[in-house]
Amino acid sequence: MKLDFNNMMQNGMEAKIAKLAPQIKAANEAMVTKREKMAWRDLPYNQERVVKEMSDYVNEMKGHIDAFVVLGIGGSALGPLAVQQALNHPFWNELPREKRKDYPKLYVLDNVDPERLVYFFDTVDVTKCLFNVVSKSGSTSETMSQFMIIQQILEEKMGKEGAKSRIVCTTDAVNGNLITIAKAEGYKYFIIPSAVGGRFSELTPVGLLPAAFCGIDIKGLLVGAAQMDERCKEADIYKNPAHMYALLHYIGMTEGKNISVVMPYADSLKFISDWYAQLWAESLGKAVDNNGKIVNVGQTPVKALGVTDQHSQVQLYAEGPFDKIIVFLGVDEYRETITIPKTYGDMPSLGFLGGVTHNELIKTEQAATEYALTKANRQNMTITLPKVTAHTLGQLLYFFEVATAYAGELLNIDAFDQPGVEEGKNATYAMFGRPGYEAKKAELDAAPAKSDKYVI
C-alpha cells in the first residue's frame, strides 16, 4: 500500500511540517506510551485461538444455513459490509450456492425502519439463517430490538432448542445484557475485547466472524494489519504513512479544510468510505480537548465513488469552497479485465475508446481528475493498493485506524470516546421510560415546546 501526498505539498507545506516538529514528536511519544490503552493495536497478534475457533464454527455450520445475518449498527455493520464488498463477488447473494462454495449469503440489518425487517422476512426462510447479534453492551436499542423480534419468530417456528442453533452472539466477556442472555439461553458466543471500541472493532470477531462465514481469508487480514503496524512505528513522519496522512489533515483543519473526502476508484472499495466516515467523524468530532477547553474540532467525512461521482460531486470539489481534502483510493491491478469493442470507429467521439480496457479507462479518469483538482489548487492525495486482497485490505483498515488515533493526539482530544452519541442514546432511553433515566426525562419535558408558527 502506498500513500502519494505530492499534491499536498504546495504552498510551503514542508516548512509547515518542520514548524510542527515539537508537536509531531509529542504525538509520536503518545502513540508509544498510550499503546497499551489502544487494545485494537494488539489484534493482529493475539487472536490465533479465536481465529481457529471461528474457522471451526464456520465448518460446523457451513451447509446447514442459507444466510448469515448480522444484527448490528455502527462499526458492527459498516466494517463487515466494507470487507464483504471488497473481497467477495459484488453480487455474492445472487450467485448460485456452488459458486459461493457452499458459503452462505450475507445480510446486514443495521436500522430499525419497520419496513426493512418485514421485507427481509419476505425474502428468506428464517429457519435457515444464522443470526449474529453484535452488541458489546447488550443494551443497543436497535440491535437488541431486532434480536428480540427474531428470537420470538425462531422459537415459534423451531422451539427453543432449534432457535439456539440459529443465534450466535458477539459481545463483551463479562459486562452487559447480551453475555448474560447468551449464557442463560445456551447461545454460541464470541468475545469483543473489553478495551476495543466499536469503530475500531473490525479486526475482532465483530468483523472477522462474518468474513469467515463468507469464505474470506481472515488470517490474511490480520497479517496485513501487522505489516502496516510495523510501518506505523517509524518516527520519521516522511516514512510513516498513517502519521503523515493524519498530519496533513491536521494542518488542513487549521487552515479551514473541514471536509475529508474519500473517493475510491474501485467498486470493491466503495464501502470503505462508509466505514471511514464513522471512524473519522466519531473519533475526531469533539467539543472539548484533553484539558477541558472548548474547541469544537473535527472534519466532516464525505464519501464519493470514482468515476460515478465525477458526474455529481467533482464540479463542487474543483470550483467550490477551498474547504476539502480529497483522498483518492486507487488499485494498481484489478481482478478482472474487460475490453471495449472497436465499433463506431467513424465517430471520433467514440472511436478512440475501441480496444481500450475498462481497467485503462477508470485509471485514466482517476489520473485526469487528480490533475484537474491539482490544477485548481485543490489539496488531494492518493492511496494505492497493488491489488485488493485480504492482506492489502488489512493494511488499509489498520492504516486508517492509526491515522485516526494520531490525528486525535495532534488535536489533543480523546479519539476513543463518543459523548455526542451518548446524549442521543440517553434521550431515547428517557423517552421510552427506561429506569434510571428519570432526570433526563424531566430535562426533556422541560424543553421549550415547538411553535406552530414555524411549521408550514
Side-chain angles (χ1 to χ4, degrees):
M1 197 200 91
K2 297 179 296 186
L3 174 68
D4 179 351
F5 52 96
N6 275 277
N7 298 335
M8 298 291 297
M9 299 306 290
Q10 295 82 5
N11 304 316
M13 184 63 80
E14 282 200 31
K16 294 174 186 176
I17 292 173
K19 191 174 180 179
L20 290 170
Q23 207 166 334
I24 292 168
K25 183 174 182 291
N28 287 349
E29 291 172 354
M31 292 295 285
V32 174
T33 59
K34 295 181 181 180
R35 181 171 176 123
E36 64 181 30
K37 297 180 181 178
M38 301 180 194
W40 50 271
R41 300 200 70 176
D42 294 329
L43 297 173
Y45 310 105
N46 63 7
Q47 296 192 94
E48 185 176 350
R49 182 195 60 77
V50 74
V51 165
K52 183 181 185 308
E53 185 182 354
M54 286 187 286
S55 299
D56 290 345
Y57 183 52
V58 170
N59 290 332
E60 174 191 336
M61 297 300 294
K62 191 178 171 185
H64 298 290
I65 56 171
D66 292 338
F68 185 87
V69 185
V70 176
L71 307 180
I73 199 165
S76 304
L78 295 170
L81 278 172
V83 170
Q84 172 73 353
Q85 176 78 7
L87 297 177
N88 271 335
H89 194 291
F91 303 103
W92 176 260
N93 286 359
E94 284 71 48
L95 290 175
R97 194 176 189 111
E98 58 272 18
K99 286 197 173 183
R100 287 186 274 112
K101 299 181 180 179
D102 216 27
Y103 288 105
K105 299 175 182 180
L106 177 70
Y107 295 96
V108 179
L109 304 181
D110 64 342
N111 206 348
V112 289
D113 182 326
E115 295 179 3
R116 188 176 186 191
L117 196 55
V118 171
Y119 296 159
F120 171 73
F121 293 144
D122 288 340
T123 66
V124 299
D125 178 349
V126 295
T127 67
K128 294 182 179 178
C129 295
L130 179 60
F131 293 92
N132 181 205
V133 191
V134 187
S135 174
K136 195 171 179 182
S137 66
S139 60
T140 310
S141 298
E142 301 86 355
T143 301
M144 297 307 290
S145 67
Q146 291 175 326
F147 160 67
M148 289 187 282
I149 291 166
I150 287 165
Q151 180 194 51
Q152 182 182 59
I153 292 171
L154 286 172
E155 290 184 355
E156 287 173 353
K157 289 179 177 290
M158 304 178 71
K160 287 188 73 70
E161 195 63 26
K164 185 169 72 173
S165 68
R166 294 293 179 261
I167 295 172
V168 55
C169 302
T170 307
T171 188
D172 189 86
V174 178
N175 299 310
N177 298 323
L178 190 52
I179 189 63
T180 302
I181 292 169
K183 289 180 176 179
E185 300 287 355
Y187 298 150
K188 176 75 175 176
Y189 61 86
F190 291 89
I191 297 305
I192 308 169
S194 60
V196 176
R199 56 189 178 273
F200 290 86
S201 67
E202 176 54 23
L203 295 177
T204 74
V206 168
L208 297 180
L209 185 62
F213 263 98
C214 292
I216 289 169
D217 176 14
I218 58 177
K219 289 183 180 178
L221 287 168
L222 295 172
V223 169
Q227 185 184 55
M228 180 54 65
D229 184 49
E230 288 303 311
R231 293 181 67 188
C232 293
K233 292 176 182 176
E234 280 281 357
D236 184 346
I237 195 73
Y238 285 93
K239 293 180 181 178
N240 190 317
H243 288 192
M244 179 58 81
Y245 180 94
L247 177 65
L248 292 171
H249 277 79
Y250 169 74
I251 293 171
M253 283 184 248
T254 66
E255 297 176 347
K257 305 293 190 298
N258 293 318
I259 298 173
S260 173
V261 179
V262 172
M263 190 171 187
Y265 273 75
D267 270 18
S268 59
L269 299 175
K270 178 179 180 179
F271 289 134
I272 291 294
S273 299
D274 296 72
W275 173 82
Y276 170 84
Q278 184 203 7
L279 181 71
W280 200 248
E282 203 166 75
S283 299
L284 303 184
K286 298 295 161 65
V288 299
D289 67 12
N290 291 328
N291 301 318
K293 179 183 175 183
I294 299 293
V295 288
N296 296 115
V297 296
Q299 265 183 330
T300 300
V302 171
K303 56 185 180 180
L305 179 66
V307 298
T308 300
D309 286 314
Q310 288 176 201
H311 297 268
S312 66
Q313 296 184 36
V314 167
Q315 170 63 33
L316 173 67
Y317 301 165
E319 296 190 359
F322 288 84
D323 59 356
K324 302 170 191 69
I325 294 174
I326 296 94
V327 180
F328 298 109
L329 287 184
V331 177
D332 281 333
E333 181 184 348
Y334 292 86
R335 290 169 291 201
E336 302 291 344
T337 300
I338 190 166
T339 303
I340 304 165
K342 293 182 178 180
T343 51
Y344 302 110
D346 58 335
M347 298 181 181
S349 61
L350 294 177
F352 79 96
L353 291 171
V356 173
T357 66
H358 266 181
N359 310 55
E360 295 169 298
L361 181 58
I362 193 170
K363 290 173 77 169
T364 301
E365 292 205 38
Q366 177 186 336
T369 304
E370 177 187 337
Y371 168 76
L373 291 176
T374 304
K375 183 179 178 181
N377 198 28
R378 308 301 166 128
Q379 290 189 322
N380 64 87
M381 62 181 98
T382 301
I383 298 167
T384 306
L385 304 186
K387 191 174 183 178
V388 181
T389 65
H391 187 269
T392 60
L393 190 67
Q395 291 180 52
L396 182 64
L397 295 171
Y398 193 85
F399 161 86
F400 277 132
E401 290 178 346
V402 174
T404 300
Y406 195 76
E409 292 304 322
L410 292 170
L411 290 165
N412 189 33
I413 59 166
D414 184 346
F416 307 109
D417 67 356
Q418 52 192 53
V421 177
E422 296 304 320
E423 179 65 21
K425 287 182 180 179
N426 293 340
T428 300
Y429 299 152
M431 289 177 185
F432 275 107
R434 177 176 166 179
Y437 290 82
E438 292 79 10
K440 179 61 65 177
K441 180 65 166 63
E443 177 189 322
L444 290 164
D445 290 342
K450 289 185 177 181
S451 170
D452 290 339
K453 177 182 178 181
Y454 305 121
V455 180
I456 57 175

